[in-house]
């Protein structure tokens, strides 16, 4: 194992010592806190201040970290303790990670084992162990194409809201692959810098569709005025913002829904599928919610509630609201994969391939003993699956498997 860690360390060292390695500077580096996790010693160095990215690069080349971060925040004194830093502002940052998206693949490729009692399972790692309530786990987490694709779909939803609902233009937000199995969206615009945690929470609620006003208000009115129907509690959706999104979601869901699907989501009204054509072509687009007999306002509300979930962007809410957050630095390596965090243009969101575009180690090959690996892609090559096999792999693939504790350098 030591030899394997040493191999990865040497590769990280080559990367950080190479003057041609591209590590772009975030805006106003002198106002940010920098931090990094030491590769060998495994501890976090924080509260560092650098007047320029050039100085920071010297430190990276000297210390060789496994992971590198900077604050989303701007401070008067980024190198002092938290309460003396004097917060000036913060970028608005969104983190979309397969960890927070229920995918069908995580049950297959993710494993966890309780450090205290040894309880193990597959899928999303629980907050605490169901056997001993311990909170520390050894995890084996994989990043497959389906993970990336699921995260990408959430980014599409987020970006749609940023552009169409918040009015940001494409050049006001930046998209990044996170280096593992997700994406980051940064807004480094003056207009967002001064937003406090409360304001950011409002943005998070909007993006995740929490407490959607149209639905809440309607339901409450329904309850209080259930005896007397009034004109202002009719089900109604506009053509912008979440209203538009819910209409789209309804169309998406109904277009291939069966009676069984309806039952599964708690909608017992078969009129929704029996009149599908009319609903899709007229009722939803024209907002004629009363035109199909047997579908009440309450049914529409229930359907709207259900599709809201699908239309919400599944962001890691904590990252966006934390105004002191450290975020992985663009151009640096992820300690769990050896891939880079890397920026790509919004126009490439459809087809940016992290297993090509984020590859840092493009040369050489190395012989490794792979304990267990699903099929995977790196640098345009499809490799595996492997089980207790000695194989010669391209450097990037070997680094990834070692970082994920699925392989060791062959003796
Ligand atoms: Zn346990
Ligand atoms: Zn996956």
């Amino acid at each position: 194992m030591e030899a394997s860690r040493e191999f990865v360390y040497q590769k990280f060292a080559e990367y950080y010592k190479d003057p041609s390695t591209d590590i772009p500077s975030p805006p106003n580096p002198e106002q940010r806190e920098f931090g990094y996790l030491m590769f060998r010693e495994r501890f976090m160095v924080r509260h560092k201040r650098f007047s320029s990215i050039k100085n920071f690069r010297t430190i990276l080349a000297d210390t060789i970290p496994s992971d590198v971060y900077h604050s989303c925040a701007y401070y008067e004194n980024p190198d002092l303790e938290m309460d003396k830093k004097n917060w000036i502002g913060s970028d608005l940052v969104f983190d979309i990670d397969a960890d927070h998206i229920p995918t069908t693949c995580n049950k297959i490729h993710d494993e966890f084992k309780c450090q205290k009692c040894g309880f193990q399972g597959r899928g999303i790692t629980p907050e605490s162990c169901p056997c001993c309530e311990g909170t520390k786990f050894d995890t084996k987490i994989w990043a497959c194409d389906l993970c990336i694709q699921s995260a990408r779909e959430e980014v599409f939803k987020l970006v749609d809201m940023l552009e169409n609902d918040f009015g940001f233009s494409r050049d006001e937000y930046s998209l990044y692959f996170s280096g593992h199995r997700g994406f980051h969206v940064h807004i480094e615009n003056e207009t967002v810098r001064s937003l406090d945690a409360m304001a950011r929470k409002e943005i998070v609620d909007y993006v995740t569709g929490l407490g959607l006003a149209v639905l809440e208000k309607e339901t409450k009115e329904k309850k209080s005025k259930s005896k007397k129907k009034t004109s202002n509690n009719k089900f109604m959706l506009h053509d912008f913002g979440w209203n538009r999104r819910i209409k789209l979601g309804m169309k998406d869901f109904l277009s291939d829904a069966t009676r069984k699907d309806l039952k599964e989501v708690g909608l017992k009204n078969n009129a929704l599928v029996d009149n599908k054509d009319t609903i899709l072509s007229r009722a939803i687009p024209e907002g004629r919610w009363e035109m199909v007999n047997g579908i009440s306002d309450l049914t529409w509300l229930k359907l709207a509630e259900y599709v809201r979930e699908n239309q919400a962007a599944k962001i890691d809410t904590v990252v966006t609201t934390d105004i002191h957050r450290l975020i992985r630095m663009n151009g640096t390596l992820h300690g769990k994969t050896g891939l880079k965090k890397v920026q790509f243009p919004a126009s490439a969101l459809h087809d940016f391939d992290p297993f090509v575009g984020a590859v840092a180690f493009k040369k050489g090959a190395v012989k490794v003993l792979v304990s267990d690996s699903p099929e995977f892609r790196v640098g345009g090559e499809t490799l595996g699956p492997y089980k207790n096999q000695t194989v010669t792999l391209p450097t990037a693939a070997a680094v990834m498997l070692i970082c994920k504790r699925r392989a060791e350098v062959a003796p």
Side-chain angles (χ1 to χ4, degrees), residues 143 148 175-184 328 330 337 339-344 352-355 357-358:
I148 302 294
L175 302 179
Y176 303 85
F177 170 63
S178 72
H180 192 195
R181 52 177 191 177
F183 298 91
H184 295 165
R328 188 175 301 281
N330 187 19
T337 58
L339 296 173
K340 298 184 278 189
K341 172 165 173 175
V342 61
Q343 190 178 358
F344 58 89
F352 175 77
D353 182 353
F355 299 115

Side-chain angles (χ1 to χ4, degrees), residues 180-247:
H180 192 195
R181 52 177 191 177
F183 298 91
H184 295 165
V185 181
H186 296 202
I187 301 174
E188 290 155 351
N189 197 310
E190 284 285 347
T191 57
V192 302
R193 278 192 197 174
S194 58
L195 296 174
D196 62 9
M198 285 297 285
R200 287 165 205 256
K201 178 71 172 63
E202 291 287 335
I203 294 173
V204 164
D205 288 353
Y206 187 90
V207 164
T208 55
L210 201 73
L212 209 52
V214 58
L215 301 181
E216 294 245 311
K217 190 166 152 255
E218 298 282 350
T219 339
K220 269 182 207 152
E221 277 179 4
K222 275 267 160 206
K223 273 181 192 156
S224 61
K225 296 178 183 176
S226 56
K227 280 176 203 155
K228 203 173 126 197
K229 233 185 176 183
T230 55
S231 60
N232 66 350
N233 67 351
K234 279 262 177 235
F235 185 79
M236 197 184 89
L237 291 173
H238 305 287
D239 279 321
F240 48 86
W242 263 99
N243 283 225
R244 172 181 70 94
R245 211 158 271 120
I246 285 175
K247 280 189 184 178

Side-chain angles (χ1 to χ4, degrees), residues 114 116-119 129 131-134:
C114 174
K116 217 161 128 194
C117 76
F119 174 83
C129 174
C131 288
C132 73
E133 290 178 9

Side-chain angles (χ1 to χ4, degrees), residues 98 103-106 109-110 142-148 150 181:
T103 58
T104 46
C105 55
N106 62 27
H109 59 53
D110 292 352
W142 193 251
C144 77
D145 279 319
L146 190 58
C147 291
I148 302 294
S150 313
R181 52 177 191 177

